[in-house]
């Protein structure tokens, strides 16, 4: 690597280390914004130096520090979720470091473009895990809806046309758009509601109707045992099948939320047979599994 970057960047690097990490966010933002961005040539040389020697911490630090301003700017876009900016910046910085580690300058893409995916991914993960609405986004489509609904809304209230248009663009159901909008628009209220003017407990408050009888310990244990029984039964039923039949059933009916279920034609191409033959194998396998499970549950 050429020696061009040592003098100007070492000074900025030392200045940045002297700033308290997140004690004063304004000071931190000023510090990272004072570090000049790299030219394409500088970025290329530093990236190639780091790829050639992963122990070249100077190259890695320079690439990260010169792009921290991007992390700060992105964190500010998520201020509306009520989470600490310092935590968002920290998570985004982790994403930036992951991007630097994986960046290939020979592909002709600038680091800032490549890193944005990793920065957003870490921030999104943090927001979803820590936002006050539990399990607000459990699938990829719902996560996309969660992070795009506010920016896509044209006003405070959405019309039916706007709801259906948004649902189509984000590949979710219209009712999911409505539900997510309610959750994002909801305000926190006291669970017990405090006391009314007569110093008596208020009855029409969340505490009065949020009790969940299904969380009684014996019912929880019963559900856990039943879930275990069903899981073991399914595993035993799948074990009865030959490898091809098992793969077809799992690919068609047991795909995870993050995995797309395969079609008959997809599996036909995979096994080199016709789609009709895949359907026949699937039908026979399902019949065999149902018979086994019926006998197992009858015991």
């Amino acid at each position: 690597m050429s020696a061009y970057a040592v003098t100007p960047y070492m000074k900025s690097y030392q200045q940045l280390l002297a700033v308290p990490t997140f004690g004063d966010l304004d000071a931190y933002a000023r510090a990272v914004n004072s570090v000049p961005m790299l030219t394409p040539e500088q970025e290329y040389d530093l990236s190639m130096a780091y790829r050639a020697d992963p122990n070249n911490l100077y190259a890695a630090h320079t690439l990260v520090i010169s792009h921290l301003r991007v992390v700060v700017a992105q964190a500010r876009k998520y201020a509306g979720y009520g989470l600490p900016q310092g935590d968002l910046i920290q998570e985004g910085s982790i994403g930036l470091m992951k991007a630097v580690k994986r960046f290939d300058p020979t592909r002709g893409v600038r680091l800032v473009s490549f890193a944005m995916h990793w920065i957003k991914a870490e921030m999104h993960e943090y927001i979803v895990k820590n936002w006050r609405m539990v399990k607000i986004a459990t699938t990829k489509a719902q996560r996309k809806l969660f992070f795009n609904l506010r920016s896509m809304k044209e006003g405070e209230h959405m019309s039916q046309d706007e709801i259906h248009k948004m649902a189509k663009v984000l590949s979710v159901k219209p009712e999911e758009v409505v539900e997510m909008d309610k959750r994002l628009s909801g305000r926190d209220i006291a669970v017990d509601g405090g006391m009314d003017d007569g110093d008596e407990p208020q009855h029409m408050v969340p505490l009065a109707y949020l009790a969940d009888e299904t969380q009684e310990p014996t019912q929880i244990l019963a559900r856990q045992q039943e879930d275990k029984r069903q899981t073991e039964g399914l595993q035993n039923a799948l074990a009865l099948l030959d490898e091809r039949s098992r793969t077809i059933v799992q690919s068609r009916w047991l795909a995870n939320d993050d995995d797309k279920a395969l079609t008959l034609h997809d599996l036909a191409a995979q096994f080199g047979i016709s789609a009709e033959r895949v359907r026949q194998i699937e039908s026979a396998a399902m019949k065999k599994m149902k018979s086994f499970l019926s006998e197992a549950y009858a015991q």
Side-chain angles (χ1 to χ4, degrees):
M1 185 186 75
S2 58
Y4 69 86
V6 174
T7 301
Y9 273 91
M10 186 59 69
K11 180 179 179 181
S12 297
Y13 179 49
Q14 295 298 337
Q15 289 176 339
L16 186 59
L17 290 180
V19 177
T21 309
F22 294 120
D24 185 342
L25 287 178
D26 289 335
Y28 180 81
R30 288 194 297 271
V32 298
N33 285 326
S34 69
V35 180
M37 291 292 289
L38 298 170
T39 65
E41 294 77 14
Q42 292 171 337
E43 179 180 293
Y44 182 88
D45 287 348
L46 287 165
S47 300
M48 292 300 293
Y50 180 59
R51 285 176 64 83
D53 178 14
N55 294 319
N56 189 337
L57 298 183
Y58 171 74
H61 287 169
T62 303
L63 289 167
V64 170
I65 291 170
S66 63
H67 287 80
L68 284 175
R69 65 175 69 197
V70 179
V71 175
V72 173
Q74 191 62 37
R76 286 174 174 166
K77 295 181 180 180
Y78 297 119
Y81 292 96
L83 296 171
Q85 282 285 289
D87 290 351
L88 285 169
I89 293 173
Q90 181 172 320
E91 295 299 321
S93 298
I94 293 174
L96 174 58
M97 287 185 283
K98 289 182 178 180
V100 168
K101 185 176 181 180
R102 294 166 172 80
F103 181 58
D104 182 359
T106 63
R107 294 184 178 273
V109 178
R110 292 298 302 272
L111 176 57
V112 65
S113 299
F114 179 78
M116 191 57 68
H117 164 78
W118 294 93
I119 293 170
K120 288 183 178 180
E122 292 296 324
M123 289 185 180
H124 286 186
E125 189 67 22
Y126 172 77
I127 293 171
V128 169
K129 285 183 177 180
N130 293 276
W131 211 60
R132 64 181 181 271
M133 299 304 295
V134 179
K135 294 184 179 179
I136 193 169
T138 56
T139 66
K140 284 186 176 180
Q142 289 175 335
R143 286 164 67 98
K144 187 176 181 181
L145 172 61
F146 179 75
F147 287 107
N148 286 276
L149 189 146
R150 283 178 171 173
S151 61
M152 294 179 66
K153 283 182 64 174
E154 297 178 359
E156 183 176 353
H157 301 289
M158 294 187 294
S159 64
Q160 287 298 316
D161 289 341
E162 187 179 357
I163 291 172
H164 285 277
K165 180 181 178 181
M166 190 180 300
K168 183 177 181 180
V169 171
L170 298 177
S171 301
V172 295
K173 298 177 181 178
E175 51 266 31
E176 289 180 300
V177 175
V178 175
E179 177 64 20
M180 189 67 73
D181 184 49
K182 288 180 180 178
R183 293 186 178 189
L184 289 173
S185 301
R187 295 182 178 179
D188 295 336
I189 59 175
V191 174
D192 60 5
M195 299 289 183
D196 60 14
D197 294 336
D199 291 332
E200 293 292 335
Q202 296 180 10
H203 297 292
M204 295 308 294
V205 294
L207 187 62
Y209 56 78
L210 286 179
D212 187 356
E213 296 179 357
T214 63
Q215 296 305 308
E216 197 274 327
T218 57
Q219 294 191 25
I220 294 176
L221 180 60
R223 287 200 304 273
Q224 291 175 344
Q225 292 175 339
E226 180 62 20
D227 289 343
K228 181 179 180 181
R229 182 186 181 193
Q230 292 180 355
T231 300
E232 292 177 347
L234 181 59
Q235 291 175 343
N236 292 333
L238 285 170
L240 296 175
L241 307 177
D242 59 83
E243 184 176 353
R244 183 171 65 173
S245 299
R246 185 164 55 251
T247 300
I248 289 174
V249 171
Q250 290 176 324
S251 300
R252 290 273 290 155
W253 301 104
L254 300 177
N256 296 324
D257 288 338
D258 292 340
D259 297 327
K260 183 179 180 181
L262 299 183
T263 65
L264 294 176
H265 291 285
D266 292 333
L267 291 164
Q270 179 178 330
F271 290 108
I273 56 179
S274 66
E276 174 59 23
R277 180 55 183 154
V278 173
R279 188 196 65 76
Q280 293 173 358
I281 295 173
E282 176 190 56
S283 178
M286 295 293 284
K287 184 177 180 181
K288 187 174 183 178
M289 291 176 63
K290 288 180 180 178
S291 177
F292 170 82
L293 292 172
S294 295
E295 294 178 3
Y297 277 103
Q299 297 177 357

